């Protein structure tokens, strides 16, 4: 459909809109909570960000016209991911609706901070599509992730997240609690995803 839109003269494509419908139920009344007839509702905001990001990435590989990334963007990091996936502009709805219009100031400041910390990028334009040539080499069974000892606080969130019981807590020589990854790790990288960004203590190895 995107290809056809391009062939028929579309200048750009916004991707996505709300996704779904989805459903939520008020357990006190057993009634549906969301808004449309029949009890479903369009899903927006954080819940749809990974789906929207994937769609932007797929679309950016398919068409040459600009893609506007939309769906679940709240932070500068979300914007950067959308740009890296191939978007050349972004749209926010739920974030300013829930947090107020100052979200735009925070996102802009966050983008500037990212550029200051990464001087190899002269502008956010340099981020557009950076991930497109990196997805081919990305494999599920990559080398297993690595716990960075100095950063690990022993919070244990990664252990809870591991469906393969490949993570456990040990004491380091100085008595500090530390997560370790065993040989039965299948490199799903769930632990990388759940390690709180403020610790950033588990790195993927691919
Ligand atoms: C309350 C509400 C009303 C919306 N109305 C429209 C609309 O009239 N037309 C439209 O194309 N998209 C509409 N959207 C979808 C948004 O433009 C946006 O595509 C979607 O919410 C995903 O982005 P977000 O996660 O940043 O909100 C609406 C979204 C919400 C939450």
């Amino acid at each position: 459909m995107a290809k056809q839109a391009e062939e028929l003269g579309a200048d750009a494509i916004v991707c996505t809109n709300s996704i779904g419908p989805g459903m939520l139920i008020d357990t006190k009344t057993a009634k549906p909570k969301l808004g449309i007839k029949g009890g479903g509702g369009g899903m927006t905001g954080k819940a749809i960000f990974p789906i929207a990001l994937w769609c932007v990435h797929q679309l950016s590989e398919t068409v040459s016209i600009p893609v506007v990334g939309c769906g679940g963007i709240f932070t500068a990091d979300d914007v950067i991911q959308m740009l890296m996936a191939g978007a050349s502009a972004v749209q926010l709805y739920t974030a300013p609706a829930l947090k107020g219009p100052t979200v735009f100031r925070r996102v802009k400041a966050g983008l500037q901070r990212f550029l200051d910390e990464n001087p190899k990028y002269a502008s956010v334009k340099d981020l557009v599509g950076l991930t497109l040539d990196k997805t081919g080499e990305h494999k599920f069974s990559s080398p297993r992730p690595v716990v960075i000892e100095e950063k690990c606080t022993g919070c244990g969130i990664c252990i809870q997240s591991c469906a393969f019981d490949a993570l456990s807590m040990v004491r380091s020589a100085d008595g500090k609690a530390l997560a370790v990854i065993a040989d039965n790790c299948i490199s799903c990288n769930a632990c990388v995803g759940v390690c709180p960004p403020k610790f950033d203590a588990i790195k993927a190895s691919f």
Side-chain angles (χ1 to χ4, degrees), residues 16-18 44-45 48 70-73 91-94:
T16 67
N17 201 293
S18 55
T44 71
I48 68 168
C70 177
I73 299 172
Q91 177 192 319
L92 286 71
Y93 186 126
T94 301

Side-chain angles (χ1 to χ4, degrees), residues 85-104:
S88 40
V90 294
Q91 177 192 319
L92 286 71
Y93 186 126
T94 301
L98 295 183
K99 308 273 182 193
T102 52
V103 73
F104 294 110

Side-chain angles (χ1 to χ4, degrees), residues 25-39:
I25 294 172
D26 180 342
T27 51
K28 289 196 192 79
T29 62
K31 287 183 179 170
K33 268 182 162 179
L34 301 182
I36 61 173
K37 196 174 172 199

Side-chain angles (χ1 to χ4, degrees), residues 112-181:
Q112 189 56 58
R113 212 163 31 247
F114 183 82
L115 292 177
D116 293 344
E117 287 165 8
N118 296 277
K120 62 183 170 181
Y121 305 124
S123 118
V124 286
K125 285 185 188 159
D126 293 348
L127 307 174
V128 174
L130 281 183
T131 304
L132 291 176
D133 66 351
K134 295 189 170 51
T135 48
E137 68 210 36
H138 188 80
K139 296 188 188 67
F140 185 61
S141 52
S142 52
R144 58 175 191 257
V146 176
V147 177
I148 303 161
E149 293 189 19
E150 313 80 75
K151 292 186 170 182
C152 178
T153 63
C155 74
I157 292 172
C158 55
I159 295 172
Q160 279 174 41
S161 78
C162 183
F164 304 92
D165 283 334
L167 275 139
S168 56
M169 196 73 76
V170 296
R171 294 253 161 226
S172 64
D174 56 3
K176 177 179 175 268
L178 186 67
V180 289
I181 301 175

